[in-house]
Amino acid sequence: MKKQMIISGLTARPVRSIVSIMAVTLEVTLIIVIVGLVTGILSEKAQRTVGVGAEIMVQPAGSSMIMELSGNTLPVSIADKLRELSGVKAVAPIQLQINMQDGIETIFGIEPKSFDDVTGGLTWHQGRPFDGPDEIVVDNVWAKSKPAVVGDMVELLNHKFKVVGIVEQGKGARVYTSRETLSAVTGQQSDRVAMFYVKLNNPDLVKTVKSEIQGLLPGYNVSDVNQFLSLMTSANITGLRPFMQSVVFIALCIGVLVIFLSMYTTVTERTREIGILRSLGASKGFIVGLIFEEAAVISVLGVIFGIGASFLLRRILTTVFPTLIVDITSTWIVAASVSAIASGIVGSFYPSLKAASQDPVEALAYE
Amino acid sequence: MKTLLETIGLRKTYRVGKIDVEALRGINLRVREGELTAIMGPSGCGKSSLMHILGAMTKATSGKVLIEGSDIAEMNDGELTRIRREKIGFVFQKFNLLPTLTARGNIDVARFLHGAAKAYDDHLAEILQLLMIEDKMGRKPFELSGGEQQRVAIARALAAKPAILLADEPTGSLDSKNSEIVLNMFRELNRRFRQTIILVTHNPELVTYTDRLIEMRDGVIVSDNDPWNTDSELARTSAPSRV
């Protein structure tokens, strides 16, 4: 009977019910997709860095291993010193440039041979390596997102480049060019780089070689690349954790306010009905339960649609922007669902108490 | 005859702004099992206040209200709710059916709240037959005429076999034809099921359907032809119709 009352209450005011469900859907989608975008971008970045195949990364002091943000200040000659260390198989000096034209992306200025020595070589889909100025090689995701094919001219860093090759994604950057070309375009010295990827003969000797490098280059950032995946979380990146907490908090506030407004409106509209129920002997607990359960139905439906909408939005986003990664995890689906249901409970708390505390005689006289 | 309901020195005062308005000023009343009683009086005489107190919907300012011997004036909200659920059936002038539910749904709500057992099904079937609404159960209130809505409301009020049926201006929103039908049904319910019924009205025609007439004015009872009260002048001239 109670189920029938809840269903009839929801279907009697379809617009209110649908809008409330949509708001909870929005709340859940907002949490899942925003968190999914952040974690997706981070984990994809981590996988690309690990995908280079190096065991150690050397950067200037004070630079960020996670964001790969550092100036091109290291003399490229350090590579030779690193190659002399026992246990080092190959070293790839990398010049870095962030391109903020049409999105944010990292461009690697590399020496093809040393980069191949570390990575084992790029996997080619089309074209050839760059061998002249203003030539770039891009990965398949980048090519699809533009879209671009071999032979196309593209604009990066306010400069025209020719796409000469397309490779499989997953090894450092999405765009590669020669160190000379990159330094010429950016006005930096070609013999300065931002980091070195170091490949070892025996990956089990990371700690030993790492301390040797630290002895050779005191004050430099020397990092174990295999720790990268675990470090690439929002908790380790300054500002990201508060950002995600803010998103979740705002989403929760939306949920609480919408459910509050919805249930407050319904309680006001149904004052007379509540009076009738009270006159029939419905207890205050019954009335509170009725309002709570109605809010719970709205929240649960919103959660179901929200989860569905998140997967749909991910499909749309990754189709329109192939370089975007939306990592939808079961942990955050559960967290968003619990948050939405909790916001439903919090939002319906006051309206349910208001409903239950109504005087039956006054409620019956309500017009 | 067993006394079902009794009030002793019942008073009700409302605060309107800074003024206290006395709606009831010492009501002494005794209603016995199986009686069909009408309470009559002009608007504002305190009839509805009395009904709300007898129906455990509001509390008296002072005095006692005994329902089957229990003083509901001393009860808290939870206990009053239980009394409404188990002892009282209420019929309102404006029907007060739940608009989102069918006639059957409205009746089932009362049974659900009461926790009415299957044993009540036969009783309900008889009531529906008497009220001639068996074929209206699938309709929503807006699909029913005023008379039909009021009959559904009566069925709902009786669905959990209450000790007392209170009806506040039950024909106030009906035309004369439907009023007559509803009043005849009250009388039939009283006779067939010995249902104790108290009707409140300002319609003098209604009293011809009842055994007892209580007249109120300015918050007090001014006349009562209680057939069991030998002090009653009316009682001396009209013997109880049912013993």
Side-chain angles (χ1 to χ4, degrees), chain A residues 1-2 4-5 8-9 12-13 272-273 275-284 286 359-361 364 367, chain B residues 52 57-58 77 81-82 84-85 90 92 94 96-102 105-106 108-110 112-113 156:
Chain A
M1 187 67 235
K2 207 171 182 184
Q4 191 186 338
M5 291 171 77
S8 66
R13 297 160 185 84
R272 197 179 178 90
E273 288 176 44
I276 295 167
L277 288 171
R278 295 282 284 143
S279 75
L280 291 172
S283 65
K284 287 184 175 180
F286 180 86
D359 180 84
V361 176
L364 283 167
E367 294 292 345
Chain B
H52 291 147
M57 296 224 280
T58 192
D77 184 77
T81 301
R82 186 180 55 77
R84 284 201 297 276
R85 190 165 57 231
F90 229 110
F92 304 91
K94 291 181 179 172
N96 280 339
L97 296 175
L98 294 163
T100 56
L101 297 178
T102 59
N106 270 277
D108 284 349
V109 166
F112 172 76
L113 290 171
R156 181 181 67 182

Side-chain angles (χ1 to χ4, degrees), chain A residues 83-99:
Chain A
R83 284 183 191 112
E84 287 167 11
L85 293 173
S86 60
V88 172
K89 184 179 176 185
V91 177
I94 308 288
Q95 196 168 71
L96 277 181
Q97 184 60 46
I98 303 294
N99 173 47

